[in-house]
Structure formats: C-alpha cells, structure tokens
Amino acid sequence: QVQLVESGGGSVQAGGALRLSCVASGNMYSSYRMGWVRQAPGKEREGVGRIDSDGRTIYADSVKGRFTVSRDNAKNALYLQMNSLEPEDTAMYYCAALLGRTYCTGNYGGYCYWGPGTQVTVSS
C-alpha cells in the first residue's frame, strides 16, 4: 500500500552536485526510519545515509561531510543533497523506509519499502 518514487538523478561532472528526492504514496509520519541505499555495477549494496523519526542521522564514511539526508513528513518526502560528487559515487540510488519498529528481516537494512531507484552518473 506504500509506494516510494525517487527523482533527481542524472549525469554530472566530478565536483558537481545533485539533490535526490523521494516521495511516498501515503502518510509517512509514522515511519521510524528512512534512508538511501546505492548499488554500483559489480559492487555490494551500500547504505549511504539514514534518518530516524527523532531526526537522528548516520552516514557512510565514504560520503560523510559531502552528503546530507533530510525528510519532510508533511510532504511525505525524503531528500539527499549530494555535494562534491566523485566518480565513485556513480550508482543506482534507492529510497527505502521502515514503518514502526518492525524490521523486515531478509531485506537489506531491514527496510520494508523500496523505490525503483534513480541513476546517478559522475564523470571525471
């Protein structure tokens, strides 16, 4: 019943910036955790950053200081501001959500809901 859709991906030069958005189909006020997960060809999935209902955030070391995760519950939206992009950031970026505190074990990060992804390509 809950659907997530990402937007804002594209191709940029190294050092550039992009802002990804994720819009949920319904009220995500009760969401405990929302985050961004990326996967590049030939690499494992990586949790980029997440934000919990209390505003607490964590980031992967590879993006800390460059990326910022935020959410707007009134707009059912999640955002990822990406600055100082590097070719290594090239990947498909997925929006994911966890409602309440019931983890969907078996899914990456325990997230229950996922968007279809948006492609980010960074050239040198």
Side-chain angles (χ1 to χ4, degrees):
Q1 63 184 65
V2 175
Q3 292 185 318
L4 307 174
V5 180
E6 306 92 340
S7 63
S11 299
V12 298
Q13 297 290 322
L18 284 174
R19 184 176 179 84
L20 305 185
S21 298
C22 170
V23 178
S25 63
N27 182 16
M28 297 295 291
Y29 177 81
S30 63
S31 65
Y32 168 64
R33 176 173 296 164
M34 298 187 73
W36 292 94
V37 180
R38 69 184 182 185
Q39 185 168 26
K43 296 184 178 181
E44 299 292 330
R45 274 182 281 182
E46 177 184 29
V48 176
R50 73 189 195 200
I51 182 168
D52 293 345
S53 59
D54 61 2
R56 189 175 305 163
T57 58
I58 64 168
Y59 298 92
D61 288 341
S62 59
V63 306
K64 191 174 182 63
R66 299 188 297 119
F67 291 9
T68 302
V69 174
S70 61
R71 63 190 294 178
D72 187 336
N73 290 325
K75 297 181 179 180
N76 294 331
L78 175 74
Y79 306 98
L80 180 66
Q81 179 65 49
M82 304 185 293
N83 298 326
S84 302
L85 284 163
E86 305 168 352
E88 292 73 21
D89 295 317
T90 296
M92 185 72 74
Y93 284 71
Y94 299 91
C95 171
L98 178 67
L99 301 182
R101 293 197 178 193
T102 302
Y103 293 83
C104 288
T105 56
N107 289 348
Y108 180 86
Y111 292 109
C112 296
Y113 301 96
W114 295 80
T118 185
Q119 178 68 39
V120 171
T121 302
V122 184
S123 59
S124 60

